[in-house]
Amino acid sequence: MALTLYGHPFSSYCQKALIALHENDTPFDFRVLGPDDPAAGQELAALWPIKRFPVLVDDGRPVIESSIIIEHLMLHHPGPVRLLPDDPKAALEVRFLDRFFDNYVMTPQQKFIVDVLRPEAERDPSGVAHARALLETAYAWLEAHMAGRQWAAGDAFTLADCAAGPALFYADWTHAIDERFPAVKAYRARLNARPSFAKAIDGARPYRMLFPLGAPDRD
Ligand SMILES: N[C@@H](CCC(=O)N[C@@H](CS)C(=O)NCC(=O)O)C(=O)O
């Protein structure tokens, strides 16, 4: 059983997969992408021409998309922490929440990053304004959703929380979670303190200067 993760410690979607790996202390090799190792980028392109990461290779077989990687780990490398409930109806709720964090928190937050990296003349202010409004709506929905919950789907830490950790971590840096959303702020703090995510945050610390909007001096 040989697992290799292609990705980068500072990447939000890689951190989502890393949380799942760390939750069960699953052994893996980390193939870090970057200018220091062009061969790793070539290997990624051969595995997945879309070149988005993370990509997990399990005994030679590529597993693509962070949510699928986590489901794959649960099926093929299970450990004591079950990130998807056995009950299919409960699992559906977890999958919905995973989609919520990817589509309505991670995606709008990435819009800011992509935009600031463009030449000034090619920026998209109305797209960024839409992303900001979407984040506000997502924070408001999550504020009501988190009332009385420890984790996104209830008492157990799941796939949805793997998605939520990096999504809220970077979204708060990008468009700060307002004081009007104390349950969201408290949930973000709980996620950051979860040992699996704290380990991923620490692994990414040396790369904070890469944050295109300027990383705040906290977390
Ligand atoms: N839906 C994908 C998203 C992956 C993704 O967007 N990864 C970013 C890094 S956080 C990436 O590959 N960026 C490089 C690029 O867009 O070329 C997943 O869940 O794995």
Side-chain angles (χ1 to χ4, degrees), residues 8-17 106 109-110 162-163 166-167 170:
H8 191 280
F10 200 61
S11 138
S12 50
Y13 283 103
C14 290
Q15 290 178 4
K16 178 176 162 184
M106 209 91 100
Q109 108 78 26
Q110 277 187 334
C162 298
Y170 287 118

Side-chain angles (χ1 to χ4, degrees), residues 11-14 16 50-54 64-67 99 102 110:
S11 138
S12 50
Y13 283 103
C14 290
K16 178 176 162 184
I50 302 286
K51 290 191 263 189
R52 292 240 175 162
F53 42 89
I64 295 159
E65 288 285 318
S66 54
S67 303
R99 295 299 77 229
D102 276 16
Q110 277 187 334

Side-chain angles (χ1 to χ4, degrees), residues 7-55:
H8 191 280
F10 200 61
S11 138
S12 50
Y13 283 103
C14 290
Q15 290 178 4
K16 178 176 162 184
L18 286 170
I19 293 169
L21 288 159
H22 294 331
E23 279 293 326
N24 281 313
D25 286 325
T26 308
F28 68 101
D29 292 323
F30 200 173
R31 201 85 173 83
V32 175
L33 302 161
D36 296 344
D37 191 352
Q42 288 157 11
E43 287 162 32
L44 174 75
L47 289 163
W48 182 224
I50 302 286
K51 290 191 263 189
R52 292 240 175 162
F53 42 89
V55 167

